[in-house]
Amino acid sequence: MRYDSITDAIGDTPLVRIAPEVHGLRNIDLYAKLEMLNPFGSVKDRAAWNMARPRIADAQARGATVVELSSGNTAKALAVIAGMHGLRFKSVTNRMRVPEIKDLLLLLGAEIEELPGQTECLDPGLADDPLTAVHRELTAMGDAHLHTDQYFNERNTEAHAAGTGPEIIADLDGRAPDWFVACVGTAGSSTGVARVLRAHDPGVRVVGLVAGKSDFIPGIRDIDEVREVGLFDPAAYDAIDAVSTDDAVEGMVTLMRRCGILAGPTGGAAYTGAVRRLRAVDDTLTERATAVFIVCDRGESYLGYVRRHRPELFGRAAADPNTVASVSAAEAESAAALDPAAAREWIARRRPTVVDLRSPFAFRALHIEGSINIVDEVFGELVRGGLPFGRRQPVLLACPVGEQSARYAALLARMGHEEVYSLAGGIIGWRDAGAPLVAD
Amino acid sequence: MDPTPLYLEPRLDEPLASLVESAEFLHTLTDALGSPLNILLPDQAAANVERFRAVFRRHSLSGEICLAHKATRSSAVVRRLAATGAGIDVASLGELQHALGAGFTGDRIVATGPKDPDFLWLAARTGAVVHLDGLAELDLLAELVRKHGLPRTRVLPRLSGFASAGVRVRSRRSRFGVPAAGLDRLIDALDRHRDAVDPIGTAYHLDTTSLDEKALAFEGCLVALDALRRRGFAPRAVDIGGGFGTGYLADAAQWERYTTELRRAVLGERQPLTWGGHGYGLRAEGGTLRGALGLYPAHRPLSGPDYLDRLLARTAPGLGRGLGALLLDSLGDLRIAPGRALLDQCGLTLAAVAEVRREDSGDTVVRLAAKADDIGLEDHGVLVDPVVVPRAPAADPAPAAVYLTGSLCLESDLITRRLVHLPRLPRPGDLLAFANTAGYCMDFGATRAQGRPGARKVAVHRDAGRWQWCLDDRYWPIGRTGGTPA
Ligand SMILES: Cc1ncc(COP(=O)(O)O)c(C=O)c1O
Ligand SMILES: Cc1ncc(COP(=O)(O)O)c(C=O)c1O
């Protein structure tokens, strides 16, 4: 397959059958539409390109910035498309809570602006939803922008009505599936596909999935938030179900580990939501049926998100006996410690290595003359990997209040260091005792 | 009427929960003192200080916990806190005088907000810490100190408009504080006024629930602390103000359901839930919702001390270490000034049912012996059901959906524009107890419109299972609640 431009590689994604032993449905063939295999990584490539394409030449002539409210995938696609055409791209959002995606967008050259959070005191002057507020702001900016407006732009839906939907029918040998299940963000993909499937076969049942109100699933909205979306029409769906973070992660893991599909959270949510719906009808079927769900994007960008919800999926670090966490309160309590006066005397006499465990930022501002700075996290690594001093070296450990240093002193003593003390009361105690501190 | 009632039941912890159950006691009070009536639990405010203090301890931090006085006008609460280790944040001359009169010494007071010369003079005279809202205020304060031979005054410059790297974090424009970008000019000015003022740290207060914005501001204050140090000052504190929030509702599911149904009502998909189809800021345009829901997030999974804990644990966006750890590393003290969160569960407002009327439209209207401005929940965007405190037990209480109106001769005198679902239809003579009003929702905006008296305030405490009470301004924290010494 040879292309002149990467944008020509958008679309024509595979439809892959999920093995029945994975989903356990007896009478239904379940297929995943792998939108994750689009070149910029998601279902949004189609919409972004379809919305931007007709306006790019004009934007280039005006030197306009491409602007969109997007929490991730649309921004990713638009950042690439803008970059390829020599345009700047700015994403305005209050929903971007996945750090890896933020970093990726910055790498792709996007500018990101985060909208402020809700006020703590009620301010009746703040009357606009973010979408309306940004619309107003863009109008004030004049022609210097190309706003793709994904929540209201019919070309978003059309991209799927022209591409995603017909591809599904073609891959099912000219038949619409009996069920179609998709997560709802802008509603573009679900509405566009549903339109085509229904036109082909009015009997198709369309299930839209939204996040539960207390769940956060990156890329989609909850049942209230979808009501702010211009493209969203409740009549486009036969049912709207809520999915949870657990559903999303559980589905991701199944798709990854059992199907070889490296799906992101909404792909996982769509799988779980689809199977839950279908299981309820499976036994009542007398003929074979088919169902299709969308895998919107890939899982690699969501490692932090998954780790927060299911740390055990990442396994536990091999037990290391020498971690500061292994030091008991009693051990720390009985660690050798010197109060500021005694410490000053000992420093003058023994010339120990004084290790300050605070952050470099605070160390630069004020520290004990001659001390060296190894921030506690790094010190913890060194304890395991190899300390830059020997066991006979006299060492004074210092932290803000003497708690962390006592734990490390106990740990080093346990490891055979002969002359390690903790500064009792820490640098704060040292300061309060009137002992000198210097700045860099 | 919609068959499933949309309750928004208040979160009631002890001892507020027991107080609401004490029907006879509450009726005795309102019979004697009239309706509406505000009831305060000063001991609960002291307990809340302890809960915040525990978070300080968890992060090994020392510093000050100040009540943002603006949230309450109760003398009992202020006097009770004067008897603890807490401080107080005053935002006017009147609040400063009140705090001093309640037993706070100047060293435990911080003066915030826009300041007139008289307010500045009394603050400096009594040794209070002064938040600096701008360079002009600094000049004015320094001039007062010199001219009137006042002691060198401890100040906390309040900063705003913090810049972020990589991702631009927008904050709403604040009317207060010195832009962080102008820090150098501020330090120059502090240097010029070194004889008159002593910057003991830096401050911010942001009116947002967003931890990201606050993390950015917190880090900005740490950087500013360092800048002050480099210029030869000895600052020690970061004051992060208030805004930790309170959860008003007991049940997340009720709040989620209510807000969804409200949106459906605005879109015309169900019967209205409000007087005249009011949308609380939402409107429908072509089947799509527009506008912003102008409501306090009444159910909050994270608020008060837990919110502070989370903020301290949060990684500073630039310095890449926990904010609490960074502050501690910098040998700094933490200062906070919560209003709403320190007054959580500290009071309730009672109003007597004056009339229950069934209108031709089918609506039931319950008129209260109170004005809308006596019950400030709605004004502050807080939706929460009152608890019916019956005068006599009803044979078989029937659930009801009612509109609550005030007793002003004014169409707009609605206690709430929301149709309120109650497990029993109130009857004249019953009381409605609006819980958790002590922060902002008690007397913040109460008026004497149409010659109606304001609510009286009483302080209560529980002693060996019995409720004791006294008028708010007769309360002193000396082991009894008014009346005769035990
Ligand atoms: C990861 C992810 N899943 C699902 C969706 C939903 O797609 P649509 O916007 O077409 O409803 C999006 C879109 O923003 C997305 O980014
Ligand atoms: C400077 C300052 N500190 C503290 C507060 C108290 O805020 P809250 O009641 O939300 O905790 C306010 C409120 O406006 C304030 O302006």
Side-chain angles (χ1 to χ4, degrees):
Chain A
M1 252 176 277
R2 208 166 97 180
Y3 298 106
D4 285 334
S5 162
I6 187 71
T7 51
D8 295 339
I10 294 173
D12 283 326
T13 55
L15 189 69
V16 174
R17 182 158 166 267
I18 304 293
E21 58 272 25
V22 175
H23 55 65
L25 300 167
R26 291 187 298 118
N27 299 312
I28 302 172
D29 293 311
L30 180 61
Y31 293 92
K33 175 71 171 160
L34 298 192
E35 287 301 295
M36 60 187 267
L37 292 178
N38 278 301
F40 316 134
S42 85
V43 66
K44 309 304 297 197
D45 294 8
R46 298 180 191 256
W49 182 228
N50 200 46
M51 292 186 293
R53 193 180 47 208
R55 296 166 68 192
I56 282 186
D58 175 56
Q60 284 170 322
R62 290 184 290 125
T65 298
V66 181
V67 183
E68 183 54 280
L69 266 139
S70 164
S71 56
N73 282 320
T74 306
K76 205 154 105 187
L78 285 173
V80 176
I81 291 167
M84 287 171 64
H85 295 89
L87 299 171
R88 297 191 344 166
F89 170 68
K90 181 160 97 175
S91 177
V92 184
T93 174
N94 55 353
R95 310 172 56 79
M96 194 165 318
R97 288 194 257 159
V98 182
E100 296 99 319
I101 292 184
K102 251 189 230 184
D103 284 343
L104 181 59
L105 284 174
L106 293 171
L107 176 63
L108 295 176
E111 284 170 54
I112 307 173
E113 275 191 33
E114 288 199 355
L115 295 167
Q118 185 170 8
T119 55
E120 172 55 40
C121 298
L122 184 67
D123 183 344
L126 302 171
D128 274 329
D129 53 289
L131 296 183
T132 310
V134 170
H135 270 270
R136 206 161 19 86
E137 209 174 286
L138 291 177
T139 314
M141 257 172 82
D143 327 319
H145 70 277
L146 188 180
H147 180 204
T148 39
D149 201 8
Q150 61 165 341
Y151 292 100
F152 288 83
N153 190 337
E154 186 53 39
R155 290 189 65 88
N156 172 356
T157 313
E158 199 182 80
H160 300 285
T164 325
E167 289 169 25
I168 292 173
I169 293 173
D171 286 338
L172 294 177
D173 305 319
R175 292 190 45 205
D178 300 288
W179 280 275
F180 172 65
V181 182
C183 289
V184 185
T186 64
S189 52
S190 44
T191 316
V193 171
R195 189 180 297 163
V196 177
L197 300 185
R198 282 230 175 79
H200 199 79
D201 175 1
V204 60
R205 271 142 293 175
V206 178
V207 180
L209 299 174
V210 294
K213 282 181 81 167
S214 46
D215 287 279
F216 169 63
I217 302 178
I220 62 174
R221 301 196 145 218
D222 73 27
I223 186 66
D224 290 352
E225 292 163 343
V226 293
R227 306 317 303 265
E228 296 165 10
V229 174
L231 299 178
F232 176 79
D233 174 7
Y237 306 88
D238 295 286
I240 294 187
D241 291 351
V243 279
S244 67
T245 307
D246 281 347
D247 293 339
V249 176
E250 200 51 53
M252 255 178 107
V253 171
T254 304
L255 290 175
M256 285 182 166
R257 294 190 179 177
R258 302 199 57 198
C259 307
I261 296 173
L262 304 190
T266 59
Y271 170 76
T272 311
V275 172
R276 183 180 299 149
R277 263 273 154 189
L278 299 173
R279 197 161 281 153
V281 294
D282 192 27
D283 284 342
T284 68
L285 295 177
T286 52
E287 298 172 46
R288 282 210 81 70
T290 50
V292 171
F293 69 96
I294 293 191
V295 176
C296 300
D297 70 354
R298 308 179 60 98
E300 288 92 331
S301 299
Y302 302 98
L303 297 182
Y305 172 80
V306 177
R307 189 192 310 272
R308 264 197 305 287
H309 292 286
R310 296 278 299 276
E312 84 285 0
L313 288 172
F314 294 83
R316 236 170 290 158
D320 182 335
N322 292 328
T323 61
V324 70
S326 72
V327 176
S328 69
E331 246 182 308
E333 192 99 357
S334 55
L338 297 172
D339 67 23
R344 286 180 79 177
E345 189 274 322
W346 188 62
I347 291 170
R349 190 159 50 77
R350 279 290 278 156
R351 304 249 153 241
T353 303
V354 181
V355 180
D356 188 325
L357 299 168
R358 298 174 305 145
S359 65
F361 169 75
F363 178 83
R364 269 198 303 279
L366 282 177
H367 57 259
I368 296 173
E369 175 118 59
S371 60
I372 60 167
N373 181 211
I374 307 178
V375 65
D376 52 15
E377 295 137 27
V378 176
F379 194 75
E381 295 290 315
L382 294 180
V383 169
R384 271 184 283 145
L387 283 163
F389 47 78
R391 292 192 188 174
R392 281 194 299 280
Q393 171 69 22
V395 174
L396 179 70
L397 298 175
C399 73
V401 289
E403 288 168 6
Q404 192 74 329
S405 55
R407 281 193 284 270
Y408 276 112
L411 181 58
L412 293 195
R414 194 207 283 168
M415 291 166 67
H417 287 256
E418 293 168 6
E419 214 178 337
V420 177
Y421 290 96
S422 159
L423 177 62
I427 305 281
I428 290 181
W430 176 279
R431 175 197 65 191
D432 293 348
L437 290 167
V438 297
D440 258 4
Chain B
M1 200 182 97
D2 191 278
T4 35
L6 291 168
Y7 293 127
L8 290 174
E9 288 160 326
R11 183 174 60 81
L12 293 170
D13 298 342
E14 284 303 330
L16 189 60
S18 301
L19 180 60
V20 172
E21 296 281 302
S22 308
E24 198 185 322
F25 176 61
L26 298 180
H27 277 281
T28 310
L29 285 179
T30 45
D31 286 347
L33 300 167
S35 163
L37 181 69
N38 287 321
I39 303 191
L40 291 135
L41 296 142
D43 291 341
Q44 186 58 32
N48 289 346
V49 170
E50 254 325 294
R51 293 178 56 223
F52 273 104
R53 185 60 74 191
V55 176
F56 277 52
R57 273 197 295 274
R58 199 168 317 140
H59 294 266
S60 304
L61 287 166
S62 42
E64 293 273 343
I65 298 164
C66 298
L67 169 70
H69 193 331
K70 58 171 72 69
T72 179
R73 297 213 288 247
S74 160
S75 292
V77 167
V78 174
R79 290 171 190 169
R80 179 67 186 83
L81 291 186
T84 68
I88 191 160
D89 163 340
V90 296
S92 70
L93 180 64
E95 286 184 1
L96 173 56
Q97 289 174 288
H98 187 220
L100 288 166
F104 279 97
T105 45
D107 57 320
R108 290 164 61 201
I109 298 176
V110 51
T112 62
K115 294 166 212 76
D116 297 330
D118 39 9
F119 182 24
L120 275 178
W121 180 86
L122 187 60
R125 179 66 270 159
T126 52
V129 175
V130 174
H131 262 223
L132 290 177
D133 240 337
L135 294 174
E137 202 170 87
L138 171 56
D139 289 337
L140 176 61
L141 173 63
E143 188 188 306
L144 278 172
V145 167
R146 293 193 193 106
K147 187 162 154 207
H148 300 283
L150 297 169
R152 185 166 177 234
T153 300
R154 294 176 301 154
V155 294
L156 282 166
R158 174 161 168 189
L159 304 176
S160 64
F162 300 91
S164 51
V167 173
R168 204 181 127 208
V169 180
R170 286 201 206 177
S171 260
R172 250 169 245 97
R173 183 168 146 205
S174 171
R175 287 169 44 221
F176 306 105
V178 182
L183 185 64
D184 287 340
R185 276 183 57 213
L186 172 74
I187 299 182
D188 290 342
L190 288 165
D191 204 24
R192 272 201 308 284
H193 296 308
R194 214 177 256 267
D195 60 310
V197 299
D198 171 18
I200 60 163
T202 50
Y204 76 80
H205 168 83
L206 290 181
D207 185 7
T208 178
T209 55
S210 157
L211 283 163
D212 284 334
E213 280 171 78
K214 288 189 174 169
L216 188 64
F218 199 137
E219 184 179 65
C221 279
L222 285 167
V223 170
L225 207 66
D226 194 39
L228 280 169
R229 236 176 225 148
R230 281 169 205 282
R231 296 283 295 269
F233 293 103
R236 290 216 356 199
V238 172
D239 184 333
I240 65 171
F244 305 102
T246 288
Y248 288 91
L249 298 181
D251 184 352
Q254 288 182 351
W255 174 244
E256 293 185 356
R257 205 167 138 241
Y258 185 84
T259 45
T260 296
E261 291 304 312
L262 179 64
R263 286 175 168 91
R264 290 188 59 221
V266 171
L267 287 165
E269 294 172 8
R270 60 156 293 146
Q271 286 171 342
L273 288 173
T274 51
W275 188 264
H278 181 73
Y280 287 107
L282 297 175
R283 58 185 192 277
E285 274 177 28
T288 299
L289 271 186
R290 292 299 186 102
L293 187 64
L295 290 177
Y296 189 84
H299 186 276
R300 297 190 50 163
L302 185 68
S303 65
D306 295 338
Y307 183 99
L308 175 64
D309 192 38
R310 190 73 71 86
L311 178 63
L312 292 174
R314 199 157 187 96
T315 303
L319 295 171
R321 186 169 163 87
L323 288 163
L326 275 170
L327 177 59
L328 188 63
D329 283 349
S330 302
L331 317 182
D333 293 336
L334 178 67
R335 302 180 63 105
I336 61 171
R340 199 189 292 272
L342 257 191
L343 297 171
D344 183 35
Q345 300 286 316
C346 288
L348 59 83
T349 299
L350 294 173
V353 174
E355 184 192 21
V356 179
R357 193 163 65 192
R358 184 126 181 123
E359 310 229 306
D360 293 341
S361 62
D363 289 337
T364 305
V365 176
V366 174
R367 181 164 60 81
L368 300 182
K371 311 185 293 318
D373 61 39
D374 291 315
I375 298 153
L377 290 163
E378 178 92 351
D379 253 356
H380 287 85
V382 179
L383 299 189
V384 54
D385 294 341
V387 179
V388 182
V389 183
R391 180 165 283 278
D396 55 328
V402 304
Y403 285 106
L404 301 176
T405 70
S407 30
L408 285 184
C409 181
L410 182 70
E411 288 291 357
S412 64
D413 194 37
L414 293 167
I415 304 294
T416 168
R417 285 161 289 197
R418 183 170 74 89
L419 183 67
V420 179
H421 292 262
L422 295 171
R424 58 186 293 166
L425 179 67
R427 290 183 299 189
D430 287 350
L431 293 172
L432 294 191
F434 295 85
N436 219 351
T437 50
Y440 297 108
C441 300
M442 204 168 250
D443 46 18
F444 196 84
T447 67
R448 309 240 155 171
Q450 297 182 6
R452 291 191 178 262
R456 287 197 169 84
K457 275 204 277 290
V458 300
V460 302
H461 89 125
R462 201 162 39 163
D463 190 8
R466 280 177 53 90
W467 288 102
Q468 310 282 335
W469 70 277
C470 72
L471 286 171
D472 179 73
D473 57 12
R474 303 235 316 138
Y475 173 96
W476 289 97
I478 45 181
R480 59 188 167 85
T481 307
T484 42

